């Protein structure tokens, strides 16, 4: 649980962050690209500036209820 955390140059490298609670955390500059994030609680208004891999970005979009058309 990182609720309302303030990160200053955090390093998450190959971490299993599944089901972590980041509610209220400013995530600007946090690089999640090598981490497992399934089931995390992330506040939409706080993800500006966070870095995600393409697969993670697709997962986030789907979590918001949007559909992703992969074969176009």
């Amino acid at each position: 649980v990182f609720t309302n955390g303030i990160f200053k140059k955090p390093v998450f490298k190959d971490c299993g962050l599944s089901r972590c609670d980041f509610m209220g955390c400013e995530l600007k500059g946090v690089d999640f690209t090598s981490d497992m994030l399934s089931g995390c609680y992330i506040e939409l208004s706080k993800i500006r500036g966070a870095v995600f891999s393409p697969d993670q970005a697709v997962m986030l979009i789907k979590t918001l209820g949007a559909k992703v058309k992969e074969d176009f």
Side-chain angles (χ1 to χ4, degrees):
V1 174
F2 297 102
T3 305
N4 296 316
I6 298 172
F7 298 109
K8 295 188 181 210
K9 298 190 180 194
V11 177
F12 295 117
K13 181 84 170 134
D14 299 321
C15 294
L17 298 173
S18 296
R19 301 187 59 151
C20 279
D21 187 345
F22 290 100
M23 296 301 289
C25 296
E26 288 291 338
L27 300 175
K28 183 177 182 178
V30 179
D31 185 337
F32 291 108
T33 55
S34 67
D35 306 309
M36 177 62 78
L37 293 176
S38 61
C40 280
Y41 298 97
I42 297 175
E43 199 169 331
L44 184 59
S45 65
K46 304 288 187 180
I47 66 169
R48 182 180 298 263
V51 182
F52 300 96
S53 72
D55 289 338
Q56 291 167 330
V58 169
M59 178 191 68
L60 285 169
I61 293 296
K62 288 180 179 179
T63 300
L64 294 173
K67 294 182 181 179
V68 176
K69 187 174 181 181
E70 296 186 30
D71 50 349
F72 47 93

